Amino acid sequence: MNLDVKKWTFFQVKDVLNIQNGKGITTEEIEENAGNFAVVQSGEENNGVLGKIDLDYCKSKGYTYTEKSCLTVARSGSAGFVSFQKNGCVVGDSAKILLLPDEVAKTEIYLFLHSILTANRFKYDYGRKVTESKYMNDYIALPALVNGRKKVPDFEFMENYIKSLHYKPLTTKNRPENALPLNIEKWGEFLLSDIFKCSTTTLSIKDELLEGNTPFISRTALNNGCDGYVEVEAKFITKGNCISIGAEGIYAFYQKEDFATGNKIYTLRNEKLNQYVALFICAVLNHEVYRYSYGRARILSKLQNEYIKLPINHKGEPDFEFMENYIKSLPYGDRV
């Protein structure tokens, strides 16, 4: 199917979606009332999900939530950032829920609108917050059809267009029930600097570099921390097979290939590190990112003094072999 954008019609967002404003939820509440329901705030990391909370607790507090599929938009911080939440979510006061009418509330239509709204995000740069009035009265161009005397959004076209996109589903031979068990109660606690060499990297200024083939790792939480590809001198290249962490980006990513870096990027190295072990450790490290929210940077000195819980072997040492085998045993672990 082709997108003939020139024939699209402008609609106000309020003609397409309904909006619900969030209410304050703290990280302490998430910790104390852990559950399986996604909490969405203003960040871009992890698709906007700050953590998981107990839904009954949210209901008792009168928080803004939906159990239906929805879009969310960040009010401040990463203002205008839009996420799709297939299983619903609760939103804090820095995010809002966007809902389609029930009769057209399909995953494909939400994904189509996600792309359109994301293209409008530039309007909220430079500290301009998303307000209900401004956002809902803004105009977006959409496929349209004539219904009586007026044009209306062509939701059927949007749905069929997304369905028409060509992709090959990823398959796995691993069954969920065959994944190795995690007995977290028997894990050991280690100082990060006792098991990793924690180091800074050599800074490069991306805007001063030409496009090339070397991954440029910055503090972005997206795309495995990669902010593009550059041409850079050998002295500015950091060797791969390590974990990278950005001070404000705070998320840990495995870097298999050599790379260049922006400001305040740190690396963790261990001779037993490989892509499987790294994925396990990154998952554990990223579980702790909430501790560094709201301007508390994950700088090198804090990294070196951070504690991490890991599986242990009979010697009481980190069981890197188990970590590797665990990742390999997960669904799609055979495709890593």
Side-chain angles (χ1 to χ4, degrees):
M1 298 178 69
N2 295 321
L3 292 179
D4 192 351
V5 181
K6 294 180 181 178
K7 294 182 179 180
W8 288 10
T9 300
F10 281 96
F11 298 93
Q12 287 184 295
V13 176
K14 65 183 180 183
D15 295 329
V16 184
L17 294 156
N18 298 313
I19 193 168
Q20 297 179 1
N21 295 307
K23 299 179 182 179
I25 299 176
T26 65
T27 54
E28 288 77 12
E29 285 180 285
I30 298 173
E31 283 187 70
E32 294 170 3
N33 302 278
N36 299 312
F37 201 59
V39 180
V40 174
Q41 284 280 31
S42 63
E44 298 180 39
E45 300 88 354
N46 197 30
N47 199 40
V49 176
L50 182 63
K52 298 289 185 70
I53 199 169
D54 180 67
L55 178 56
D56 288 335
Y57 173 80
C58 296
K59 292 178 179 179
S60 70
K61 299 292 289 186
Y63 286 144
T64 303
Y65 73 93
T66 179
E67 295 181 71
K68 303 175 182 177
S69 296
C70 68
L71 296 176
T72 67
V73 59
R75 180 183 68 86
S76 57
S78 301
F81 173 76
V82 179
S83 73
F84 172 59
Q85 303 297 333
K86 183 174 178 59
N87 299 311
C89 65
V90 58
V91 288
D93 55 7
S94 61
K96 302 172 186 290
I97 290 173
L98 300 171
L99 286 168
L100 282 164
D102 287 344
E103 61 269 20
V104 294
K106 298 180 180 180
T107 294
E108 293 82 7
I109 298 174
Y110 273 122
L111 293 176
F112 191 100
L113 292 172
H114 178 276
S115 297
I116 301 299
L117 293 171
T118 296
N120 261 14
R121 183 183 173 184
F122 71 92
K123 296 182 179 181
Y124 303 97
D125 289 341
Y126 309 111
R128 288 176 283 186
K129 294 182 178 180
V130 171
T131 65
E132 178 178 345
S133 176
K134 178 175 175 57
Y135 200 80
M136 298 305 281
N137 286 297
D138 201 359
Y139 284 86
I140 54 175
L142 294 172
L145 52 80
V146 177
N147 183 8
R149 295 185 177 182
K150 67 177 184 178
K151 288 187 175 182
V152 296
D154 190 346
F155 293 113
E156 184 178 0
F157 175 87
M158 300 180 207
E159 179 183 358
N160 290 334
Y161 177 78
I162 295 298
K163 287 180 176 179
S164 74
L165 297 178
H166 298 292
Y167 70 96
K168 184 178 181 181
L170 190 64
T171 60
T172 179
K173 295 180 180 179
N174 293 357
R175 303 295 301 169
E177 59 269 21
N178 293 332
L180 297 176
L182 286 178
N183 194 351
I184 299 175
E185 291 76 15
K186 294 184 178 180
W187 288 13
E189 193 170 59
F190 302 91
L191 193 65
L192 210 58
S193 56
D194 284 343
I195 54 175
F196 289 105
K197 179 182 179 182
C198 308
S199 305
T200 57
T201 58
T202 304
L203 165 67
S204 295
I205 308 299
K206 184 171 180 283
D207 291 344
E208 298 176 358
L209 301 173
L210 298 174
E211 290 188 13
N213 299 315
T214 302
F216 186 86
I217 305 303
S218 70
R219 285 173 285 172
T220 177
L222 306 177
N223 198 28
N224 205 58
C226 183
D227 195 21
Y229 291 83
V230 297
E231 182 180 311
V232 64
E233 295 180 53
K235 64 181 180 180
F236 293 108
I237 290 180
T238 300
K239 299 297 291 183
N241 192 35
C242 66
I243 292 172
S244 68
I245 299 181
E248 278 81 25
I250 66 180
Y251 276 87
F253 299 109
Y254 175 64
Q255 305 301 336
K256 184 177 182 179
E257 308 296 336
D258 296 351
F259 57 97
T261 67
N263 192 27
K264 295 181 181 179
I265 303 296
Y266 311 112
T267 59
L268 306 180
R269 297 182 184 277
N270 184 295
E271 61 180 10
K272 295 183 179 179
L273 197 69
N274 58 36
Q275 58 189 343
Y276 302 102
V277 174
L279 287 174
F280 189 104
I281 291 172
C282 284
V284 177
L285 289 170
N286 292 337
H287 188 66
E288 301 295 315
V289 296
Y290 69 90
R291 300 182 187 277
Y292 298 94
S293 302
Y294 308 108
R296 289 174 286 179
R298 205 174 198 170
I299 59 176
L300 183 62
S301 60
K302 288 184 178 180
L303 270 176
Q304 292 171 325
N305 290 289
E306 186 173 327
Y307 282 89
I308 183 173
K309 290 190 72 174
L310 294 173
I312 56 175
N313 58 25
H314 66 283
K315 295 180 180 179
E317 300 169 342
D319 193 343
F320 295 107
E321 183 179 0
F322 172 83
M323 298 180 213
E324 178 173 346
N325 290 334
Y326 176 78
I327 295 296
K328 288 181 177 179
S329 76
L330 294 176
Y332 305 101
D334 55 334
R335 303 302 297 271
V336 174

